[in-house]
Every structure is written in C-alpha cells, then in structure tokens.
Amino acid sequence: MCSVTRTGTVHVKIQTRYYVCMQIQKMLISQAEAVLKANRVGNATKPAPGLYPHQWFWDSCFIAIGLRWTNIEQAKAELRSLAKGQWHNGMIPHIIFSDELGYHFGPDKWQSSKWSGLQDVQTSCITQPPMLAEAVYRVGIQLSTIERKEWYQEMLPVIIAYHTWLYRERTLGDSPFISLIHPWECGLDNTPYWLKIMRQNIPLKLKILQFLHLEKLLNKTRKDTKQVPASERPEPIDLYIFYNIIRQAKQNGYNARRISNTKAPVIEDLVFNAIFIRANDLLMTIAAEIDYSIDADLVAHCKNTKAKIDQLYEQGTFWSRDVTTGKLIKEQTIANFITLYSGALSTEQAQAMMNDLHGDGIWRPAYGVTTTPTNSRWFLPKNYWRGPVWVNMNWLIIDGLRRYGYHKEAEVMRNQTIAMVANGGVCAEYYSPIDGTPAGSPQFSWTAALTIDLIKTTKLKIATNE
Ligand code: 9WN
C-alpha cells in the first residue's frame, strides 16, 4: 500500500517485510530524487536541511554514487566541488562551508585560510573517510569509454594528491596505517571506541560539571539540538570534548605529529583504514585504465597498508589502535565489519566475520547492522552512532559481502535496507535497530542517494585489480 500526501511525501506501508515491490521501489526513487533536489545548493548537495547546511566530504561521495543513476552531470559536479575545496597540500577537508548560517561548528572556529592555501573557500581543517576513489570509479562506470577516460584523467590527480597527503602527514612512526586526530574524521563521531579514549582525558571544566551532575546544562548552549532531540545526538559532555579537541588541534596547527605528543586522542581508525585500503585499490584500477604511471613510493605504501592489516587483528577480529599506548581498542562496533569492505581479509577471516555478523545483537532482523551491538554497555537505540542502523554502513557491508562471494547475504541486507527506508517514510539520517523508527534528521541526502543505488545495483560487477 502506498499513498502520496498533498506535500508530495510518499508514505509507504509494506506488508512483506523485506520485499519491496517494483511500484514502491519506483516511488522510493522519486522520493529520494526529491530529497536530493531539495538539498542541492549550487554544485553540491548538503547532507540535510537545517542540521547540516554545508558540503561534507564522504556525504558527497555517497551522494554522487546515487546521483550517477539519475543525473550524471550533477554527480560529477558534486565531486568537482570537493576538488575545489582540496587544500594546496592535498588534504580534502571534511566540510566545505557554504554561506548558510546556523551550523553548530562554523568556519570562524577553524580559520582554514591560514593553512589551506585557499582564500575563496572556507573549510574545516580535518578530513573524513576517503570515499572519493570509490565515487569517482562508480561515476566512471556509467560513462562511455571515452568520457570515462576523460573523467578519470581529470579526477585521478585529485585522488593521488589526497592519498599522498594521507601517507605523508598521517602515518606516524613506522606504522602503515593512517592516524586520525578527531572522531569527526572517521565519520562515526560518537562511536564507543573513540568515546572510550576521549573520555580518559576530560577537560577540568567539564569534569566539574560532571561531578556536580550538571552536564545536562550544556544542552542549553548547543545548536545541534534545535533540529534534532538531544537524546538522538551525542551526549553533551562528548560534544564539548569534540569541540575541545579541535581547539587543541588548532593550537598545534592541525599537525598530527605535534598532536600525537600531547594528551589529545590519536587513533589508527579501523573504518578509515578499511576504506582507505579499498580506495588505494581503486586508485590503481583507475590509473591502469588510463595508463597513468603512479609514483613507486605511493604504490609501495598502498601495498604495505593492505598487507599489514593483520597488525590490527587479535582475538579473531579487527580493532582500531590507540596511538598513544600502541594498544588495540577492544570495543565491538560496526567498525569490525567494515573491514569486509576493505577487500584485505583472507577467506578465513571473511568467513569469521560472517559468523560474527550473525552473533547476538549485531545483524538485526529486518534492518541490517547495528552501529553498536545491542548487548554493549554503550548501546542506545536512537542515539547517533551508538546503536542506530545507518544506510551508508549497510551499503559498505553489502559491497564487502559481495566481494567475498556472500551474494545471498548481501541480497538479504540490500532488501532489508530498502524496506527499512520505505517503511520509515522520510529518508531518515538513521534508524532504530529495535523497530526501524526513523531518527536524526529527516530528508537525509546519503540515505536518499544510497537507496537509489541499492535499488539499481542488483548485479554490480565488482572491480578487483589483483
Ligand atoms: C560532524 C554530515 C555529517 C556526517 C557524519 C555525521 C555527522 C557532523 C555533526 O554529520 O557529523 O562532522 O555535526 O554531527 O556523524 O558522518 O558526515 O552528514
């Protein structure tokens, strides 16, 4: 049963839980297209109206992956707009600011032009998961051979400069992995493994508030909860620690080596590194297609990161590493499963992942994978990255499952994800893993874009360059 309201929103009730009929799929695509159109500002798409009024790095990559089916020129423009925000040293920032006001941590807090080399674009001064190679590659698949080659010629230098920056500025000591200086860089902001490390060093002012049980007072001064209920956003203490880490990073010129000598958290993040390994492979695939010669050092680095992933493997799974102590951070989250997407796992490790996916509280009947297992002490069903199901996470896992030949499981998760979005009715930012209730911001762009992609991508030929 489907109905369209006078405002044009599609409300869908599905009788069979995981199967979404063709008629509803078509309506979902129209609904998703409308969300993307409404969120479009100039050449880029904001993640959501109100809460996120600028361009975000990995959001735009997911958005382009969806837009390639409905408007390929906009998909290209979305990624070109990211390239315009690329710093002269190669970094792609996690936010490129538009003129809209109201974001809770705006351009004045970062003062990017002191470091970026860009005078006409204001950005944040940290990065986000390197999804660009995947987005460029997938847009390329939709083009004719000649257009694809031109597209790759245009975008490959951007990807190379970015990956080279990551290796130059973000590998510390002899480690083959990329270090992050802020949880916003991994995109899963309040995921338990970051909270655990961050909360070991709470600033004195916040400690006093906690001691007096007054931390909820902080909610009065925050802007993000004007759009979304506080219970669905990071806890006040965590948000203010996020802000504080940026202030400290700025004092250290956003330089990871300097920051790693302070008490600020620095983590070799599993989600980021898994995505990076895949992105390195795609960089090589793109280069091979246009006979582009990649610098030997970069090739060696890429191979080394992939080959050494077992350094993050202990007790039958993968973890992020705390750079300060050198120890793995053993908090189970969805990050463990994003390693499937990397393509770096042995067949045995991938099988073990599959078994774990079916473990208690992880793969939820009807919705996909919880960001934090339901039996974790950190679990909160509607709070941001502490439990909710996110469409981009399901998408990455589906892609990884396909790469390891788990087509049946990938198909189940694909159908579940489409059904969850259809049932939720609003292209929500995230969904409760308990009952699929939409949470966070409605009209969320990557939910819209990736729903289009999931509907369209039934038999994607996966590229490998092994
Ligand atoms: C901080 C835009 C972004 C996503 C992140 C998500 C959230 C920002 C915020 O929104 O983070 O970057 O203000 O909470 O965690 O993954 O890219 O959608």
Side-chain angles (χ1 to χ4, degrees):
M1 290 284 294
C2 319
S3 61
V4 182
T5 66
R6 267 188 296 155
T7 55
T9 319
V10 181
H11 290 289
V12 193
K13 287 262 178 290
I14 296 170
Q15 276 142 18
T16 320
R17 280 211 116 156
Y18 313 146
Y19 177 69
V20 180
C21 68
M22 295 303 279
Q23 188 202 359
I24 292 177
Q25 288 191 10
K26 271 193 191 154
M27 292 178 80
L28 252 186
I29 290 180
S30 309
Q31 182 189 10
E33 278 188 89
V35 167
L36 293 174
K37 194 168 167 207
N39 288 343
R40 190 105 188 138
V41 185
N43 286 324
T45 311
K46 55 187 171 186
L51 188 59
Y52 307 119
H54 309 289
Q55 181 176 23
W56 262 259
F57 177 14
W58 79 330
D59 295 65
S60 280
C61 296
F62 292 124
I63 290 164
I65 288 171
L67 275 177
R68 75 195 163 119
W69 297 105
T70 56
N71 191 331
I72 192 87
E73 286 310 316
Q74 277 186 7
K76 286 175 162 179
E78 189 80 33
L79 302 177
R80 285 183 178 128
S81 171
L82 284 179
K84 275 201 174 156
Q86 183 166 37
W87 284 20
H88 286 187
N89 65 7
M91 184 184 83
I92 301 185
H94 101 296
I95 305 176
I96 300 172
F97 290 105
S98 68
D99 295 334
E100 275 190 49
L101 300 173
Y103 181 58
H104 64 100
F105 208 80
D108 51 312
K109 302 280 197 311
W110 302 90
Q111 297 177 328
S112 62
S113 42
K114 285 191 188 161
W115 292 276
S116 64
L118 307 169
Q119 294 313 317
D120 50 346
V121 188
Q122 302 295 314
T123 74
S124 68
C125 301
I126 56 174
T127 190
Q128 245 188 349
M131 285 299 301
L132 183 62
E134 180 78 85
V136 166
Y137 171 73
R138 295 219 182 205
V139 167
I141 295 178
Q142 302 304 114
L143 300 168
S144 69
T145 310
I146 294 175
E147 285 171 334
R148 176 164 58 250
K149 288 192 182 209
E150 280 171 11
W151 170 241
Y152 287 168
Q153 292 282 3
E154 176 186 345
M155 293 305 288
L156 186 60
V158 179
I159 303 171
I160 291 175
Y162 176 49
H163 288 213
T164 305
W165 174 82
L166 282 169
Y167 277 119
R168 193 179 60 241
E169 298 294 329
R170 291 302 190 86
T171 47
L172 304 178
D174 316 329
S175 176
F177 305 114
I178 303 303
S179 286
L180 303 189
I181 57 170
H182 197 286
W184 284 345
E185 294 198 301
C186 79
L188 280 63
D189 312 0
N190 66 342
T191 187
Y193 57 92
W194 270 95
L195 293 189
K196 188 173 175 176
I197 302 302
M198 270 173 36
R199 286 184 184 183
Q200 287 168 2
N201 185 21
I202 300 179
L204 185 64
K205 270 194 231 159
L206 295 180
K207 267 193 188 155
I208 295 170
L209 281 179
Q210 258 188 331
F211 180 74
L212 299 171
H213 298 289
L214 291 175
E215 65 265 39
K216 287 233 160 79
L217 280 181
L218 293 170
N219 277 338
K220 294 202 186 313
T221 61
R222 57 196 284 194
K223 279 190 188 169
D224 59 329
T225 48
K226 297 209 167 38
Q227 324 273 347
V228 166
S231 60
E232 295 177 17
R233 296 283 302 166
E235 289 182 35
I237 284 284
D238 295 328
L239 188 76
Y240 281 82
I241 301 178
F242 291 166
Y243 294 164
N244 196 53
I245 303 175
I246 297 290
R247 271 182 226 112
Q248 288 173 310
K250 191 169 160 192
Q251 281 160 14
N252 286 291
Y254 300 105
N255 179 301
R257 286 193 178 80
R258 280 171 59 190
I259 294 168
S260 68
N261 292 322
T262 70
K263 285 186 177 164
V266 179
I267 290 180
E268 288 173 352
D269 184 277
L270 193 55
V271 170
F272 194 100
N273 280 285
I275 292 176
F276 188 47
I277 289 170
R278 171 80 181 137
N280 282 335
D281 277 354
L282 288 167
L283 182 156
M284 301 300 165
T285 305
I286 293 170
E289 182 150 356
I290 55 173
D291 292 324
Y292 193 107
S293 163
I294 309 274
D295 178 80
D297 271 359
L298 180 58
V299 174
H301 277 309
C302 296
K303 285 191 177 155
N304 193 35
T305 307
K306 189 172 184 179
K308 300 271 175 66
I309 190 160
D310 278 0
Q311 286 187 6
L312 304 177
Y313 194 69
E314 230 171 77
Q315 294 174 319
T317 192
F318 294 90
W319 311 98
S320 295
R321 183 155 61 192
D322 177 3
V323 170
T324 313
T325 61
K327 291 197 175 133
L328 299 180
I329 313 166
K330 295 190 180 160
E331 279 297 336
Q332 212 190 17
T333 66
I334 198 160
N336 306 60
F337 302 105
I338 302 299
T339 48
L340 280 166
Y341 173 77
S342 74
L345 273 51
S346 66
T347 320
E348 292 74 28
Q349 286 170 333
Q351 180 59 56
M353 264 320 144
M354 272 300 300
N355 298 343
D356 288 356
L357 254 184
H358 289 93
D360 275 355
I362 309 281
W363 189 335
R364 302 300 296 158
Y367 312 115
V369 186
T370 49
T371 37
T372 300
T374 56
N375 54 11
S376 158
R377 70 188 166 111
W378 300 95
F379 177 71
L380 293 170
K382 289 172 85 175
N383 186 287
Y384 219 33
W385 297 95
R386 287 185 52 186
V389 172
W390 289 69
V391 170
N392 68 331
M393 294 285 111
N394 280 3
W395 187 92
L396 291 168
I397 293 172
I398 292 166
D399 191 67
L401 288 173
R402 282 182 177 143
R403 211 168 359 270
Y404 284 97
Y406 295 107
H407 293 286
K408 208 178 84 208
E409 289 80 359
E411 194 54 14
V412 170
M413 201 179 288
R414 187 181 80 90
N415 283 322
Q416 287 180 340
T417 311
I418 297 168
M420 176 182 77
V421 177
N423 274 321
V426 288
C427 283
E429 190 176 4
Y430 37 88
Y431 297 84
S432 159
I434 304 298
D435 57 11
T437 318
S441 176
Q443 312 288 87
F444 194 67
S445 295
W446 85 39
T447 301
L450 294 179
T451 301
I452 297 175
D453 192 65
L454 288 172
I455 291 174
K456 298 274 188 185
T457 313
T458 42
K459 286 184 195 138
L460 180 76
K461 200 167 147 278
I462 307 292
T464 54
N465 61 327
E466 271 110 16

